[in-house]
Amino acid sequence: MGYLFAVVVGYLLGSSNMAFYLSKLKNTDLRKRGSGNLGTCNAFTELGWKASVLVFLHDAGKAALAVLLTAWLFPTCAYSQHIAGVCAVLGHIFPFYLKFKGGKGHAAYIGMAFALNWLAALIATPICIIALFVTDYIFALIIATITVYPLVLFCFGEWQAALIVLIASAFAAYFMRENFQHIKEGTETKFLAGLLGKDKKSKDE
């Protein structure tokens, strides 16, 4: 029952999409603007930083809620909370009511990471931030996050947890494969340019 709850509730919570709600409120469609993704970065470049903060908090919060709720209700069900977190990320990427086309799951991944093991997430954070400011690519921050966090879990001796989390990492990485091409072509959005509103062509989440 714990695993079934983790899968169903994790996915349903993850499917909630604030970027979609805000775009409807503003009479626009983020799926047809910028990168076409319903996530934090596209909201950042197309709707502004205030909207992106709301989207990030919602997306991170829904994954954290899935993890914490599952851990609370099924404390003896091994790794059910990890499964709930991964399903929340997958729900964000594949929302059933949006023809399975959502965001790329980065904000949800961060929420999952902190809810599962806040210390491991805290250790990974400086490395991820350095990757962002050295490259000036949000893409680099995302890649660092989904790579470093499972490694930290593994170093903590939580190799089973790391393997489960890697499922979310693999999906997030797969849907960012286009960013490698954008960097090669020189069309990938720079973080500072997006922050200053100089570039409306988001290629990240």
Side-chain angles (χ1 to χ4, degrees), residues 3 8 47 65-66 191 204:
Y3 295 118
V8 174
L47 301 179
L65 178 61
F191 172 68
D204 286 301

Side-chain angles (χ1 to χ4, degrees), residues 1-139:
M1 181 61 71
Y3 295 118
L4 179 61
F5 179 89
V7 171
V8 174
V9 173
Y11 175 77
L12 291 177
L13 284 173
S15 294
S16 177
N17 194 295
M18 181 58 69
F20 175 72
Y21 306 150
L22 288 179
S23 65
K24 285 296 183 182
L25 187 64
K26 293 179 178 291
N27 295 316
T28 187
D29 191 347
L30 287 180
R31 291 170 295 181
K32 298 178 181 178
R33 295 178 57 180
S35 66
N37 291 296
L38 292 170
T40 303
C41 287
N42 205 27
F44 173 64
T45 57
E46 299 298 327
L47 301 179
W49 70 268
K50 292 181 181 178
S52 71
V53 169
L54 183 57
V55 171
F56 176 84
L57 292 176
H58 172 272
D59 291 349
K62 67 187 181 185
L65 178 61
V67 170
L68 297 175
L69 191 59
T70 303
W72 177 54
L73 293 175
F74 301 96
T76 61
C77 194
Y79 302 107
S80 60
Q81 66 268 35
H82 296 77
I83 294 172
V86 169
C87 287
V89 174
L90 295 181
H92 178 79
I93 298 173
F94 305 110
F96 66 94
Y97 61 98
L98 295 174
K99 298 181 179 179
F100 302 99
K101 184 180 180 182
K104 294 186 178 180
H106 184 224
Y109 191 101
I110 291 175
M112 172 193 70
F114 274 94
L116 287 175
N117 190 323
W118 65 268
L119 182 57
L122 204 60
I123 291 173
T125 297
I127 301 173
C128 300
I129 292 176
I130 290 172
L132 170 64
F133 284 101
V134 168
T135 65
D136 198 25
Y137 287 127
I138 298 177
F139 166 70

Side-chain angles (χ1 to χ4, degrees), residues 128-155:
C128 300
I129 292 176
I130 290 172
L132 170 64
F133 284 101
V134 168
T135 65
D136 198 25
Y137 287 127
I138 298 177
F139 166 70
L141 170 67
I142 299 173
I143 289 296
T145 302
I146 64 178
T147 303
V148 175
Y149 180 71
L151 287 176
V152 175
L153 287 180
F154 184 80
C155 291

